[in-house]
Amino acid sequence: MRTQRRAILFLTALFFSFNPLSAQLMPGGRTVDVGRLRGDFYNQMVEKVNEVMDSWQGAWRRTGEEGVPDHYSREATLLQPGGLPLSGREAIQAFSDAALPLTSAIRTGMQDLEACEGFAYLSGYYAADPRSGGMGSNSGRHFTVIVEEGGDWLIRTQLFLPDSGTVDFPEVITPELLEPLTNDRVRSGRRGASRFAAYGDAEFVLMAFRDAWNRGDVPDAASFFSEDAWVRLPHETGNMMGHRTLSERLQEGMDLYGDLLTVELDFDRRDRLSFTFGRFHAEGVDQPDRPGHYFMLLKNEGYGWEIRSLAFF
């Protein structure tokens, strides 16, 4: 059964891949030192990501030429620290207008990076510094996807996972702006083919992972992750992960929660990388259920999709 499912996932990856060979020879496809080219490409992407994030942080400090919303794509989604998701520049504009007077700076780091043509994923530490009498200070980990659109690099999705401090959101953010995303609203976006492929990637991988989780099959569940995956499971906090193996953590999670349900709300893809943002519901075993949001990054090195990052919020 597991072999058959792996075959289905591999064939699905081949079917939805736009150009898997170019991903292996990225960038270009010439018979040259691919390792050196990949190194050069990643160095360029690090510079581009730093440029975008430095400008974004400058907007929060009011030292930049552009405002906070100008750094997001029109279809961007933003999960506030401990809050509900926002969708689109209008909602992000309202949030930043209310939060800017209360926040002196938001600092971010880059501890993890994956990139391909037109797409960069970064994750690392963040800290929000309040102004006197402003929002509560908080820090934790951020997950940010930056994409190229019309020659500009913009934030496509961004999620904040706080692990300390408190967050008090301005009351001027209306319920309409905090209205949860719906699949119909997300799928009405412009990037039809890209989103269809991203949805297919996520649905097949999540279906297989959920099946393994719900059966309590730790080895099968662990096999979907890349060796360098960053993972936070539904039962974990920022201080719980420690140095335990992924299998040990999966076993603990399966002991605490039975069926794991997910629904995809936002998704997009470029070449060999695909992200998904959605909701989950974990059914508790002799304890309350655990609802929330999740973020998943998939990567394909030419032999099928793997989970590169998975975080339950």
Side-chain angles (χ1 to χ4, degrees):
M1 188 68 171
R2 181 179 174 185
T3 303
Q4 292 177 342
R5 184 166 62 251
R6 284 293 185 192
I8 293 173
L9 287 171
F10 179 72
L11 291 174
T12 302
L14 289 178
F15 178 79
F16 283 113
S17 293
F18 299 127
N19 192 349
L21 181 60
S22 65
Q24 297 176 54
L25 299 179
M26 176 190 66
R30 298 166 294 162
T31 306
V32 292
D33 187 344
V34 177
R36 181 183 62 79
L37 282 175
R38 183 171 295 224
D40 292 342
F41 173 78
Y42 266 82
N43 289 336
Q44 295 171 8
M45 290 305 298
V46 167
E47 293 181 4
K48 178 56 65 176
V49 165
N50 284 334
E51 178 183 325
V52 173
M53 296 306 292
D54 286 347
S55 177
W56 176 83
Q57 293 179 71
W60 280 101
R61 294 192 303 269
R62 300 174 186 76
T63 59
E65 296 181 358
E66 297 180 315
V68 172
D70 297 326
H71 294 81
Y72 293 84
S73 73
R74 293 181 179 178
E75 299 177 336
T77 48
L78 169 65
L79 184 64
Q80 310 159 75
L84 294 174
L86 302 174
S87 177
R89 281 183 179 170
E90 180 183 357
I92 294 173
Q93 175 80 62
F95 173 70
S96 64
D97 286 348
L100 273 169
L102 309 176
T103 307
S104 62
I106 298 181
R107 295 168 286 116
T108 62
M110 182 169 59
Q111 299 167 302
D112 196 8
L113 174 70
E114 280 285 349
C116 66
E117 289 292 340
F119 185 113
Y121 153 82
L122 66 147
S123 179
Y125 177 82
Y126 85 88
D129 302 326
R131 292 186 181 275
S132 178
M135 291 168 39
S137 63
N138 70 97
S139 61
R141 193 175 186 95
H142 76 96
F143 302 81
T144 302
V145 171
I146 301 173
V147 298
E148 185 179 18
E149 293 185 355
D152 296 323
W153 285 86
L154 301 168
I155 298 173
R156 177 62 180 79
T157 193
Q158 191 172 49
L159 304 91
F160 293 94
L161 179 59
D163 59 16
S164 67
T166 60
V167 183
D168 301 314
F169 292 98
E171 294 182 359
V172 297
I173 302 299
T174 65
E176 290 75 20
L177 291 176
L178 292 177
E179 180 182 357
L181 296 170
T182 65
N183 285 41
D184 289 340
R185 183 176 177 184
V186 169
R187 290 174 182 167
S188 65
R190 295 169 295 164
R191 297 190 58 80
S194 173
R195 286 198 168 177
F196 174 73
Y199 180 78
D201 304 336
E203 183 61 24
F204 275 91
V205 174
L206 278 171
M207 177 179 64
F209 174 72
R210 289 195 313 262
D211 176 66
W213 179 286
N214 297 343
R215 288 185 287 104
D217 190 336
V218 171
D220 197 18
S223 68
F224 293 101
F225 294 86
S226 64
E227 292 183 359
D228 56 349
W230 194 96
V231 183
R232 179 174 133 154
L233 298 171
H235 67 289
E236 295 179 324
T237 67
N239 299 320
M240 285 180 58
M241 292 177 284
H243 299 288
R244 295 172 299 159
T245 67
L246 178 59
S247 294
E248 291 172 338
R249 294 162 55 198
L250 284 167
Q251 183 65 69
E252 184 178 51
M254 292 175 186
D255 291 340
L256 294 173
Y257 295 100
D259 285 354
L260 179 64
L261 309 173
T262 60
V263 58
E264 296 80 38
L265 297 178
D266 193 12
F267 30 80
D268 212 335
R269 169 180 166 178
R270 304 289 194 280
D271 196 27
R272 65 181 188 89
L273 294 176
S274 173
F275 88 83
T276 304
F277 163 59
R279 294 197 193 93
F280 79 92
H281 187 97
E283 297 183 355
V285 178
D286 299 326
Q287 65 176 328
D289 292 356
R290 167 89 160 87
H293 295 89
Y294 74 91
F295 170 83
M296 181 176 70
L297 180 78
L298 298 177
K299 74 172 182 178
N300 188 339
E301 297 288 5
Y303 47 82
W305 291 99
E306 292 182 310
I307 300 175
R308 176 63 174 77
S309 180
L310 179 61
F312 293 90
F313 293 68

